[in-house]
Amino acid sequence: MVLRPFEDGQSGEALQLGLACEVALQGGGRLLLGSARAPADAEATLWLEAPGGQPCPIMQARFHPEPAQPDSPRPARLFALVTDALPPGTRLVLQAGDQRTDIAGEGSGESALAGLLAAWPAEAGFALLADCAANPALQPLLGWQQRPFGGFGDWLAGLNPVRGRMVETLAEIEEAETLTSLAGEVMVVVRGSAAFPPEARLEMVAIGQRPDAAGRAEPVAVPLLDWHVAALPQALVGQARIDPAWLDRLSTLELVLRVQMRPDLVHFLRCRPRAATVPDLLDSICRTTPFAEPGDAAGAAALDLLRLVVARREALWAPPLASLAAQRAAPDAAGHLPRLGLILGADDPLAARLFQVTAPEFEGRCDRLLVMGDAAEAVAQPFIRRGRIPVTLGAAAVQALRQAAGRAGVLAVEAPRFAAAVAAGRPASAFSRPLGAADLARLLALHASAGCEPALADSLARLLRLHRMQPGEPAFLPVQRGWSSPHAAEVVNAHLARLWSTGPAETALHG
Amino acid sequence: MAKPPRTRPATAMGRVCIIAHSHPEFSKGGGELAAYRQFETMRDAGRDVVFVGASEVGTQYAESRPIETVMPFGPGEYVYSFAGMAEDRLAWEDTYQRGVLVDFLAALDCEVYHFHHYWRLGTDLIDALMAARPDARFVMTMHEMLAICLHHGQMVKTRSRELCRRESPLRCLACFPDQTLERFAYRKATLMAVLSRFDTILHPSDFIRGRYRDWGLTAPRDPVLENYLGDAMLAQPREAADPQAMAHRFGFFGQPTSFKGLDVLLRALPMALRGNPDIVLTVFGAEREDVLRLFPTLEPMVEAAGSSLTFAGRYDPLDALDLMRSVGWVVVPSVWWENSPVVIQEARRAGTPLIVSDIGGMAEKVQRGVDGLHFKRAAPVDLARVMVQATDPELRATLGASIRDVMGRAEFLAALDAATAVKR
């Protein structure tokens, strides 16, 4: 490894090399943390030398300038080296020109890691954390010593925590809004009330905890599938994707942000992202702080970015949604499966009266009943009192619906539509045809990619609307919420409408 | 509660249970009076009949002390507390009390359960009783349009007092903006689901039958059967009055609620007096203070009417025919549709012609030029015109001679038997 000359170093000085910490990694590798100092006028090289003079490969190396010390006029370079293996007797070597110094490759163990990271510049901790996310061999660094986030615990504790989205301690930054969606999307929007400098940069590392086999929380750095950053006049916007399989296993998720306002001014923020619907997530791009300087340019730039993000999402989601819609159009065997009744939109306790007097309509059609909605408990009571079919509600009902794919045909009924059908003397017309595995897979994909409400029930109601849609009817009902602007609402609703209507036309028309 | 013993030999009809939203002992609305008169008439005709009525007294008592849900109230009569019902009295919140009442009714072992109203009875109770007694026949007599209209079943718009001719969720939302479209849908569906299951729906007027049909209630048999006025009133003689002495005497009978149109009549009175100063109006059923409390802006009209206006206070329904014979005309100025007002039946029984609003059950039950005169609903000017016209003794004599009597006992029982004999 080549160390560039120290800009503020002095020529003709002796080489200095120190190893502060050596940590064993998963699979026999090693992490070596230390410092090196070399003359300013010479290019220095750092390497590991196995016994017999053979170089020991360094898989990854990072260098950081040591903070200026009052008693040390020559700042050193801090280094973090990762090797796949460290044979006994290996030496750490620093050479500049004809000068050479070397030390033993073994140092003090992992107990020194936490203190070292906390003492080193925050940049070093952030870089190492990012490496943990990229390199599974480094993951154990977050779990050592049975303390939260292991060797990073002290370092993380020293970062600026963000409560909600308000940033109170930094003058240049007013908000750091972080959101995640069911599909594993992460949106980071760092906002100021004045224009950010052009050199402003944003980086992010996701960390979290997931239960291990024994049920204990295991801290992890979460790998990202991608990461896109864009600069707006008064904001930095980062968009990432986490593998949903990862997200599902996490019990907590935090984001560590590195916000570089200028080359000499970097902030590190520790945020807990909010679970958001897709409209929430996308609208955050266009939102501004209450004290933001108004400007058409800022709004136009945000809308341009929103359109870009939307296009990226459609490129990602349209193919699988089209495929699922095509499967939905094929006949399936849901009609022969056990019948799972589902009452959606049970939001008003008054609906319980209706189900009290129409319960046999469900008991004759279903082997089991799920009830979803704000008033699910009240609406379920008539069925529970009668005791003819088992009833599940709330989160358990959502879980049961997710698990139903392929094992039950779902007869879905929207409570208000059922009321209309009963009033018209045709209660049977309110029941959907049995939804099968393909329908439920499509539902889950639509909920993840284009869900408009946190509740799965809302997405199911939208899917049922697609199934019964007649020519001339809108396929998608726009989302009503406190949008940042009517323009953002238009872009996002059009995007959601495209995702919801992805698939063969006959799928929607002949559901 | 033990099943009541059969006090009479079972007839071909079998035992009938009449279930009403009140007992006339506690309130004297047209519905409960009709229900109770049916009970008395059937009992006196030797039928095996039981009356079960809601009790306001028991319900109020239940707010502070425990009380039995169902209590005996006389031979073949029971009252029940509806304290366990929801505030709108269309369903039960206390399912235990509902169960007690259902078990009691089912144990009566009746062949026919004849409901008068669903208010204070509950759709869930009716549903449960139907499930408990699938072999029985179920009959309902409609007394107003509560299922159709949240505004006390009046089908009068809440803000403008305009008449409403058709229900729909959006129309109802205009009257009740604090409600939701879904709530209207649930309400209608619940009522429709239960009412559709009755074997027979009896409508006291063709008007109300039309409203329920328009609403969608078409499944059950739905003959029109006028409420029976009762043996006591039918037994009274019908005597001709002196038209010369009576033509200028007008009477209002009933409580001064905002729907009964007494304010329309009191506004019309000064104008009518200008047309004929001999006109006198007597308000039966309310004191002056009662009226002015409800309609304070009418005080100048009341003052101006002077001795031409008298408030006779509350009256005993048993005295109604005599009181109606003391006036030349009975005015029914209701601003809502009405169904089959008892006052109209009583006036026809008494032989006193009527002046009524030209809408709904009033227009149907008072045939213009036969039973009385019509005026434009809620129009004091037109009512004044008709009142002046009515002071003509010749007109009073003509209508006094042509006014039709009400249905007799035998006719009523035969129609009732025919209507309740068939199970769908």
Side-chain angles (χ1 to χ4, degrees):
Chain A
M1 287 294 150
V2 174
L3 280 75
R4 297 284 170 209
F6 291 98
E7 290 163 4
D8 52 354
Q10 296 171 20
S11 62
E13 294 174 346
L15 298 176
Q16 291 185 8
L17 183 61
L19 184 62
C21 176
E22 177 225 346
V23 180
L25 300 177
Q26 217 167 36
R30 291 288 190 280
L31 169 68
L32 305 177
L33 300 175
S35 63
R37 184 174 284 120
D41 55 355
E43 189 171 83
T45 306
L46 182 69
W47 78 92
L48 286 166
E49 190 175 273
Q54 293 299 311
C56 176
I58 295 174
M59 309 311 296
Q60 184 177 305
R62 287 190 184 268
F63 297 95
H64 309 279
E66 184 187 47
Q69 303 289 330
D71 55 347
S72 175
R74 287 187 302 140
R77 283 288 171 112
L78 306 173
F79 62 80
L81 309 179
V82 177
T83 69
D84 277 350
L86 195 67
T90 299
R91 307 288 294 178
L92 183 60
V93 181
L94 178 65
Q95 183 163 357
D98 55 359
Q99 290 189 69
R100 168 187 165 124
T101 185
D102 63 285
I103 58 174
E106 294 93 15
S108 56
E110 64 201 35
S111 59
L113 180 63
L116 195 65
L117 286 179
W120 276 18
E123 291 280 13
F126 184 83
L128 187 57
L129 192 61
D131 291 340
C132 290
N135 184 354
L138 295 176
Q139 287 280 0
L141 296 178
L142 287 107
W144 272 320
Q145 299 173 359
Q146 302 301 315
R147 50 185 299 189
F149 296 105
F152 290 92
D154 292 345
W155 178 79
L156 285 166
L159 305 184
N160 290 301
V162 178
R163 317 266 182 228
R165 66 178 188 230
M166 302 304 294
V167 178
E168 294 173 348
T169 54
L170 305 175
E172 307 87 346
I173 300 172
E174 291 202 359
E175 292 181 359
E177 185 172 19
T178 52
L179 310 99
T180 56
S181 77
L182 281 175
E185 292 163 292
V186 176
M187 189 69 74
V188 178
V189 189
V190 178
R191 302 187 185 98
S193 56
F196 279 8
E199 63 269 33
R201 299 286 181 272
L202 172 66
E203 292 178 69
M204 184 265 282
V205 176
I207 56 175
Q209 300 195 42
R210 64 179 176 188
D212 63 12
R216 290 182 301 250
E218 178 192 17
V220 288
V222 182
L224 303 180
L225 293 176
D226 56 20
W227 171 244
H228 303 276
V229 181
L232 299 176
Q234 295 180 32
L236 292 168
V237 180
Q239 188 198 5
R241 281 188 304 131
I242 297 173
D243 185 341
W246 259 90
L247 202 60
D248 285 348
R249 287 154 56 205
L250 293 176
S251 56
T252 65
L253 177 67
E254 291 184 77
L255 304 179
V256 178
L257 308 185
R258 178 185 182 276
V259 187
Q260 177 183 306
M261 301 302 289
R262 295 185 299 274
D264 60 338
L265 181 62
V266 179
H267 300 298
F268 294 90
L269 307 176
R270 184 177 180 183
C271 314
R272 182 156 289 193
R274 175 169 64 87
T277 62
V278 174
D280 274 343
L281 192 88
L282 296 176
D283 190 43
S284 67
I285 294 172
C286 297
R287 208 172 299 134
T288 58
T289 71
F291 309 106
E293 293 169 356
D296 291 344
L303 279 174
D304 284 345
L305 176 59
L306 177 60
R307 290 189 189 96
L308 179 69
V309 170
V310 156
R312 204 181 287 146
R313 294 188 89 250
E314 285 175 30
L316 179 72
W317 283 104
L321 287 175
S323 169
L324 287 167
Q327 291 173 39
R328 155 68 184 73
D332 61 32
H336 306 291
L337 294 171
R339 300 163 306 169
L340 183 65
L342 168 60
I343 296 176
L344 287 169
D347 298 325
D348 190 334
L350 196 70
R353 294 185 183 182
L354 173 60
F355 294 110
Q356 174 72 41
V357 301
T358 55
E361 295 284 348
F362 292 82
E363 292 161 353
R365 288 184 170 86
C366 310
D367 306 308
R368 185 183 171 196
L369 184 64
L370 312 179
V371 185
M372 296 181 186
D374 294 344
E377 193 164 336
V379 169
Q381 286 310 308
F383 298 100
I384 293 170
R385 273 197 295 269
R386 291 167 64 89
R388 313 278 168 86
I389 50 175
V391 182
T392 308
L393 54 151
V398 175
Q399 190 59 26
L401 180 62
R402 288 178 184 275
Q403 292 171 348
R407 290 189 282 172
V410 177
L411 287 169
V413 169
E414 293 164 83
R417 288 185 58 81
F418 180 68
V422 170
R426 297 188 302 273
S429 68
F431 288 84
S432 72
R433 62 146 186 79
L435 303 179
D439 298 292
L440 296 179
R442 187 181 181 207
L443 166 68
L444 296 179
L446 280 167
H447 187 54
S449 63
C452 303
E453 294 286 339
L456 182 64
D458 178 77
S459 293
L460 181 50
R462 288 179 181 275
L463 183 65
L464 294 175
R465 179 185 173 82
L466 278 180
H467 287 184
R468 64 169 178 267
M469 193 177 68
Q470 297 296 316
E473 291 181 1
F476 175 80
L477 289 182
V479 178
Q480 304 289 334
R481 63 186 296 283
W483 291 99
S484 60
S485 76
H487 309 298
E490 188 180 341
V491 171
V492 176
N493 273 319
H495 163 61
L496 294 173
R498 285 192 291 276
L499 290 182
W500 275 96
S501 54
T502 296
E506 63 270 24
T507 302
L509 295 180
H510 302 293
Chain B
M1 185 171 294
K3 177 178 156 183
R6 290 186 186 274
T7 54
R8 298 167 203 285
T11 64
M13 173 62 77
R15 175 176 278 176
V16 174
C17 177
I18 297 170
I19 310 160
H21 58 289
S22 187
H23 191 294
E25 197 72 34
F26 307 117
S27 68
K28 300 219 166 20
E32 54 266 37
L33 278 171
Y36 195 74
R37 284 168 180 165
Q38 179 188 338
F39 164 68
E40 289 180 314
T41 305
M42 293 179 75
R43 182 188 60 192
D44 295 347
R47 307 290 180 83
D48 186 4
V49 61
V50 178
F51 183 88
V52 182
S55 162
E56 292 90 336
V57 174
T59 303
Q60 286 163 7
Y61 187 87
E63 289 175 3
S64 56
R65 291 181 179 83
I67 190 171
E68 292 287 340
T69 303
V70 186
M71 290 164 286
F73 198 64
E77 292 184 47
Y78 301 86
V79 292
Y80 66 90
S81 158
F82 53 89
M85 294 194 79
E87 194 177 347
D88 66 0
R89 309 304 193 199
L90 289 173
W92 291 76
E93 285 176 344
D94 186 332
T95 54
Y96 175 78
Q97 286 194 49
R98 180 185 71 202
V100 168
L101 186 50
V102 169
D103 289 346
F104 168 76
L105 292 170
L108 288 174
D109 197 21
C110 293
E111 194 171 293
V112 176
Y113 289 93
H114 188 153
F115 287 82
H116 280 258
H117 222 318
Y118 36 83
W119 181 66
R120 288 187 179 171
L121 292 156
T123 51
D124 49 345
L125 177 139
I126 296 170
D127 172 71
L129 184 58
M130 285 176 167
R133 292 301 316 277
D135 53 326
R137 297 192 295 281
F138 284 81
V139 179
M140 168 72 78
T141 294
M142 296 297 197
H143 287 291
E144 31 84 319
M145 300 174 283
L146 188 63
I148 305 172
C149 175
L150 191 58
H151 191 204
H152 309 291
Q154 309 287 299
M155 294 198 78
V156 173
K157 294 179 182 175
T158 54
R159 296 177 178 181
S160 61
R161 290 217 300 175
E162 285 176 61
L163 294 173
C164 174
R165 288 179 168 76
R166 192 173 188 84
E167 149 289 333
S168 75
L170 276 176
R171 289 187 181 93
C172 296
L173 196 62
C175 279
F176 294 94
D178 57 329
Q179 295 286 324
T180 64
L181 292 172
E182 287 79 12
R183 288 183 82 84
F184 288 119
Y186 292 136
R187 186 178 188 278
K188 177 173 182 176
T190 306
L191 286 154
M192 185 70 80
V194 171
L195 293 175
S196 296
R197 276 183 244 154
F198 276 84
D199 296 294
T200 303
I201 300 278
L202 293 174
H203 295 286
S205 68
D206 188 53
F207 162 76
I208 198 168
R209 178 171 66 177
R211 285 299 161 99
Y212 273 99
R213 283 181 174 178
D214 289 347
W215 182 62
L217 185 61
T218 53
R221 299 173 65 248
D222 61 349
V224 173
L225 177 59
E226 190 160 291
N227 295 324
Y228 182 55
L229 207 46
D231 290 350
M233 287 203 181
L234 266 291
Q236 292 194 32
R238 204 160 180 254
E239 296 166 359
D242 174 6
Q244 199 69 42
M246 305 300 279
H248 63 285
R249 296 185 184 177
F250 298 84
F252 172 92
F253 292 80
Q255 296 186 0
T257 68
S258 58
F259 296 114
K260 290 294 181 183
L262 179 57
D263 55 328
V264 177
L265 178 55
L266 293 177
R267 286 179 204 280
L269 181 59
M271 292 183 270
L273 283 169
R274 284 198 287 278
N276 186 337
D278 291 338
I279 286 174
V280 290
L281 170 65
T282 306
V283 175
F284 298 94
E287 297 289 357
R288 181 179 190 274
E289 294 71 28
D290 299 331
V291 175
L292 292 181
R293 197 178 305 120
L294 186 65
F295 304 110
T297 58
L298 293 182
E299 188 164 6
M301 288 86 163
V302 171
E303 291 295 330
S307 59
S308 300
L309 174 62
T310 305
F311 293 92
R314 295 182 178 233
Y315 63 94
D316 189 322
L318 293 174
D319 297 331
L321 297 194
D322 287 337
L323 296 173
M324 287 180 176
R325 288 191 199 101
S326 72
V327 297
W329 299 88
V330 172
V331 185
V332 184
S334 294
V335 296
W336 82 285
W337 301 95
E338 293 282 5
N339 172 16
S340 177
V342 176
V343 170
I344 290 180
Q345 287 184 291
E346 290 169 337
R348 282 173 51 182
R349 179 81 265 279
T352 305
L354 294 118
I355 298 174
V356 300
S357 300
D358 59 347
I359 56 168
M362 296 172 287
E364 177 187 334
K365 299 295 180 183
V366 177
Q367 197 174 331
R368 192 201 308 253
V370 175
D371 306 312
L373 305 170
H374 293 180
F375 73 96
K376 193 55 82 183
R377 172 249 179 205
V381 172
D382 198 47
L383 176 54
R385 175 189 65 77
V386 173
M387 288 171 74
V388 172
Q389 177 193 352
T391 57
D392 174 6
E394 195 174 325
L395 177 61
R396 173 60 182 81
T398 302
L399 292 176
S402 63
I403 185 168
R404 296 167 298 164
D405 203 347
V406 294
M407 177 187 283
R409 181 195 200 203
E411 186 185 358
F412 171 72
L413 284 173
L416 186 64
D417 289 348
T420 60
V422 181
K423 184 161 179 68
R424 284 167 62 202

